[in-house]
Amino acid sequence: MTDSSQTENGENDFTKALSNVFGFHGFRDNQEDIVRAIVSGRDVFAVMPTGGGKSLCYQLPAYLLDGTCVVISPLISLMKDQVDAAKVNGLAAEFLNSSLDSAERTRVSRELSAGKLDLLYVAPERFAAPGFLDVLKTVPISLFAVDEAHCISEWGHDFRPDYLSLSRIVSEFGDSPVAAFTATATPRVQDDIIDRLTLRDPHVTRASFNRPNLSYQVVPKGDVDDQILTFLSDRKDEAGIIYRTTRKSVEETARELVRNGVNARPYHAGLEDEVRKANQEAFNRDDVTVIVATVAFGMGIDKSNVRFVIHADLPKNMEGYYQETGRSGRDGEPAHCVLYYSRGDIPKIRYFINQMEDDAQRATASGKLNEMVNFATVNVCRRSQILGYFGQTLDAGGCTGCDVCSGTVDRIDATREAQIVMSAIMRTGQRFGAVHVTDVVMGANTQKIRDLKHDQLKTYGAGSDRDKQYWRGIIDDLTAQGCVVRTDGEYPVLHLTAAGREVLFGRREFQVLRQREVPKPARTRRKQAKQIKQQITDFDRELFEQLRTVRRGLAQERNLAPFIIFSDRTLREMAHYTPTTPVEMRNITGVGDQKLLQYGGDFIQAIEAYLSGGE
Ligand code: ADP
Ligand code: ZN
């Protein structure tokens, strides 16, 4: 297809607007086709993963077309951030929902009627409200954008009856294009959405579920709080979410992190509304770096610079795992997803599944749990497993970061070592904890060993060629794989299980996974360079920190979330290219005309001060 708006240097009206308004130098996959379809008046149905850049698909047409774009979105808590983000890019945006007082509502309605708005965000129930459609009919409408469109389908996982009123859009506003977006829709849900919204020969996009900038890792779970602290030790100031299953474990891990100097807060449904809101808000605004949460934390997170998601307990199924890990790296920058896996988590989930009354439901849940366990235990590329779950395939060599592909995970036979440990447990009468058992295995010369004559046991010193950490690791693995259990109580002791005896008597092998090194997230191979725009890895960290401080200050003054001012990527580019003129600044990704005008000066000043030695 030829493009009459194409200029000699390959720029067209769309890429020009993209650069002027958003400061982006190129479209992501599918964005341009969707924008073109809408601008030419066509309906759209698009499935795009979280972070795929859905909002740009309707915000750019909203800018290019005359009239107001009406965005229907179910999450009132997100509307302010979405409107703020549009406003700082120079779009005239407002929202109408129950959180506004009547004076504000009047002001917004007036601006709407005067045709001054590019974007109006509304909740679905407003559509059913008498009078609202009548008001809309008096206003020129550029398009309707239906966000989280799967909510209209009873087959979907998040049906909302309010969404049914949206089926009136086409019959009442026949001239305006309707664009429906969602991050999750099976083909059946897709048909249902198109049907219910009565979309007219829509342009359909099903983007890949692949999130190339996320890297995946599964680590055998030991003392998970310790493991998390080690993980965090070289990620100071990086924002992340740690998922735990129970409120109690959320509280405990959060307390442990805080005790060790991590700026962390808990989040679960048992907290007072106020506290929960405050913790989420503090995280959103970079005042808190780590949130320890149950899965209740999720809906309503729009923070784009989440750099890691940790699952400290096994998720129930792959959908949950995909959604929760998907909350990292929405800005397209590398993010890391770690699952600490222990077989010991399985019985707890099984227990809940067994409580389900409906047989079919119980069978489904059980099957899903098995798939989750498989994901964590088989030696197959994690990314291809995730995509496979959603019925997609990954090109050979297409993985952009997982522990299996980067060859950093080895499956090692440790049957002999397991036998040494378990033999020591047996021969000491299953009455001691990990410390003493390790001492026996290593042949330590302690008072306790001398008193109990454990230096006369056959296994005494059988493992003296390895260090203490190694044997503690084997004990963790034995526990994780259900060969050994730790009793509860103040002095937990180790017991063998039936599975443990199988290994001890040589009837079964025992294997462990060992990491060689932490995989580097998202390598940029040539093939992937298109997907992941050149990562900026060498940038001045000190300058980056200073720019973050500037961003925080500006955000506080204006009551905005920091990522709305500039993304981490933008700050990283600044810390790499050190722009000191408006023209140089405008070349940075994410710096459009409006943001240059509003914030460019502050950042140029900070960069200059830094370059000249900080005066
Ligand atoms: P979604 O709603 O699909 O989860 P968003 O619309 O929130 O995703 O976009 C995710 C992030 O990607 C935002 O920070 C947005 O500014 C950024 N983004 C979107 N499109 C582009 C692009 N073409 N180039 C660079 N960044 C983009
Ligand atoms: Zn892989």
Side-chain angles (χ1 to χ4, degrees):
M1 216 170 69
T2 57
D3 180 1
S4 56
S5 60
Q6 194 89 18
T7 61
E8 274 158 46
N9 56 7
E11 225 184 34
N12 59 43
D13 290 348
F14 296 124
T15 46
K16 215 152 71 194
L18 179 72
S19 165
N20 292 344
V21 179
F22 298 95
F24 297 149
H25 303 311
F27 284 102
R28 292 216 183 125
D29 284 352
N30 305 307
Q31 283 179 329
E32 186 168 6
D33 288 345
I34 294 173
V35 170
R36 272 178 197 280
I38 295 174
V39 170
S40 71
R42 198 161 163 200
D43 288 351
V44 163
F45 172 84
V47 185
M48 288 166 86
T50 307
K54 287 185 278 294
S55 35
L56 188 141
C57 294
Y58 54 82
Q59 289 191 354
L60 194 58
Y63 168 81
L64 291 167
L65 295 169
D66 289 334
T68 302
C69 164
V70 181
V71 186
I72 297 102
S73 165
L75 297 172
I76 289 179
S77 60
L78 290 189
M79 281 187 195
K80 180 178 181 301
D81 279 348
Q82 284 168 334
V83 164
D84 284 346
K87 276 183 173 167
V88 294
N89 281 325
L91 296 168
E94 295 294 348
F95 61 82
L96 274 177
N97 65 34
S98 51
S99 77
L100 290 185
D101 63 33
S102 71
E104 285 174 294
R105 225 169 10 233
T106 310
R107 176 183 64 80
V108 173
S109 301
R110 206 168 283 149
E111 287 183 19
L112 171 68
S113 300
K116 286 189 181 156
L117 297 182
D118 296 318
L119 284 157
L120 177 71
Y121 285 78
V122 296
E125 56 267 27
R126 192 144 291 269
F127 257 83
F132 182 68
L133 292 189
D134 295 333
V135 175
L136 275 191
K137 280 185 184 161
T138 66
V139 184
I141 303 289
S142 55
L143 76 134
F144 288 90
V146 181
D147 207 0
E148 313 284 351
H150 59 274
C151 295
I152 201 172
S153 171
E154 283 167 78
W155 304 115
H157 56 87
D158 199 15
F159 173 62
R160 291 171 190 232
D162 279 332
Y163 259 66
L164 292 176
S165 63
L166 303 184
S167 58
R168 289 161 63 190
I169 296 176
V170 166
S171 56
E172 306 258 350
F173 300 87
D175 294 339
S176 311
V178 181
F181 299 91
T182 173
T184 48
T186 59
R188 182 184 200 180
V189 172
Q190 167 174 336
D191 290 344
D192 200 30
I193 296 170
I194 292 175
D195 224 43
R196 286 184 183 256
L197 287 174
T198 57
L199 300 184
R200 300 143 291 188
D201 179 31
H203 166 83
V204 174
T205 298
R206 283 188 73 89
S208 168
F209 278 88
N210 191 13
R211 300 283 312 276
N213 59 316
L214 306 194
S215 65
Y216 302 94
Q217 184 183 18
V218 181
V219 177
K221 175 160 143 184
D223 181 339
V224 79
D225 287 344
D226 264 4
Q227 290 177 302
I228 292 170
L229 281 167
T230 309
F231 177 87
L232 294 179
S233 60
D234 59 348
R235 285 165 193 272
K236 212 170 159 293
D237 294 332
E238 284 190 2
I241 306 171
I242 298 169
Y243 282 107
R244 300 228 57 176
T245 310
T246 64
R247 296 174 188 183
K248 186 162 161 266
S249 52
V250 163
E251 290 286 347
E252 283 168 1
T253 296
R255 214 175 305 127
E256 191 60 22
L257 296 189
V258 169
R259 191 168 29 230
N260 283 277
V262 179
N263 188 0
R265 295 270 192 293
Y267 185 103
H268 57 73
L271 291 171
E272 300 262 329
D273 252 15
E274 299 283 291
V275 178
R276 213 173 53 216
K277 266 209 197 103
N279 289 356
Q280 169 162 1
E281 190 62 14
F283 180 61
N284 214 19
R285 308 217 154 190
D286 288 352
D287 294 337
V288 155
T289 48
V290 174
I291 283 282
V292 187
T294 60
V295 291
F297 189 64
M299 281 303 257
I301 307 218
D302 215 11
K303 187 177 168 73
S304 68
N305 60 335
V306 175
R307 295 272 69 87
F308 63 86
V309 166
I310 288 176
H311 283 88
D313 303 301
L314 186 67
K316 286 200 240 343
N317 54 52
M318 293 287 285
E319 282 101 338
Y321 176 74
Y322 178 78
Q323 275 196 5
E324 284 136 29
T325 52
R327 291 182 183 125
S328 65
R330 294 182 71 143
D331 53 8
E333 289 286 283
H336 200 75
C337 308
V338 186
L339 164 62
Y340 290 104
Y341 170 71
S342 157
R343 284 197 69 77
D345 287 345
I346 299 173
K348 293 171 218 158
I349 303 176
R350 284 235 183 278
Y351 176 81
F352 285 106
I353 292 176
N354 289 337
Q355 314 277 304
M356 293 179 172
E357 281 175 12
D358 186 298
D359 287 346
Q361 229 183 357
R362 198 167 55 236
T364 309
S366 178
K368 288 188 170 189
L369 173 60
N370 290 343
E371 281 165 320
M372 192 66 231
V373 171
N374 243 4
F375 169 81
T377 49
V378 303
N379 212 8
V380 173
C381 169
R382 317 277 185 205
R383 187 180 309 276
S384 71
Q385 287 194 71
I386 292 172
L387 291 179
Y389 184 82
F390 291 107
Q392 299 183 338
T393 51
L394 186 68
D395 296 341
C399 181
T400 44
C402 87
D403 50 357
V404 176
C405 289
S406 57
T408 55
V409 68
D410 287 330
R411 194 166 283 271
I412 296 167
D413 180 76
T415 310
R416 198 184 140 262
E417 289 76 6
Q419 288 169 338
I420 291 176
V421 169
M422 289 191 293
S423 155
I425 295 172
M426 281 298 259
R427 285 168 197 273
T428 52
Q430 308 195 81
R431 292 186 354 255
F432 298 92
V435 174
H436 184 69
V437 169
T438 305
D439 282 345
V440 171
V441 166
M442 291 190 59
N445 182 12
T446 66
Q447 185 70 45
K448 193 167 171 184
I449 283 183
R450 287 195 300 272
D451 289 351
L452 293 162
K453 297 200 170 37
H454 283 170
D455 48 2
Q456 287 161 27
L457 296 175
K458 207 172 149 221
T459 27
Y460 179 73
S464 56
D465 54 333
R466 306 268 200 173
D467 64 8
K468 197 184 269 184
Q469 228 182 345
Y470 175 84
W471 292 110
R472 290 302 292 267
I474 292 289
I475 294 175
D476 281 343
D477 282 315
L478 284 167
T479 320
Q481 296 189 35
C483 293
V484 165
V485 286
R486 254 177 247 261
T487 57
D488 291 332
E490 200 178 345
Y491 302 105
V493 306
L494 303 176
H495 281 272
L496 260 58
T497 63
R501 271 184 218 103
E502 292 279 290
V503 175
L504 179 61
F505 300 125
R507 289 197 288 268
R508 225 178 82 179
E509 278 195 356
F510 182 74
Q511 293 188 330
V512 292
L513 291 175
R514 283 290 175 268
Q515 307 283 329
R516 251 181 256 148
E517 54 167 310
V518 177
K520 295 275 175 289
R523 296 279 88 203
T524 46
R525 291 195 221 125
R526 205 183 317 143
K527 199 166 145 251
Q528 291 137 13
K530 219 186 87 201
Q531 289 174 298
I532 313 169
K533 301 278 156 46
Q534 206 75 52
Q535 307 290 354
I536 302 279
T537 45
D538 89 69
F539 58 94
D540 189 321
R541 286 183 187 271
E542 200 180 324
L543 176 56
F544 178 72
E545 286 310 320
Q546 293 194 7
L547 297 177
R548 271 168 58 113
T549 310
V550 173
R551 176 174 71 177
R552 173 111 57 103
L554 288 171
Q556 261 160 10
E557 276 167 31
R558 290 163 173 75
N559 191 28
L560 296 173
F563 65 83
I564 282 173
I565 298 208
F566 284 132
S567 71
D568 282 7
R569 184 197 168 94
T570 300
L571 297 195
R572 222 167 285 173
E573 279 192 27
M574 286 186 197
H576 176 81
Y577 295 111
T578 58
T580 51
T581 66
V583 174
E584 288 172 354
M585 186 55 97
R586 180 64 178 71
N587 276 331
I588 301 286
T589 300
V591 184
D593 289 341
Q594 268 308 310
K595 287 193 181 177
L596 177 66
L597 213 61
Q598 301 219 16
Y599 316 119
D602 290 272
F603 285 88
I604 286 176
Q605 215 172 11
I607 292 167
E608 275 178 336
Y610 180 79
L611 293 178
S612 63
E615 300 97 308

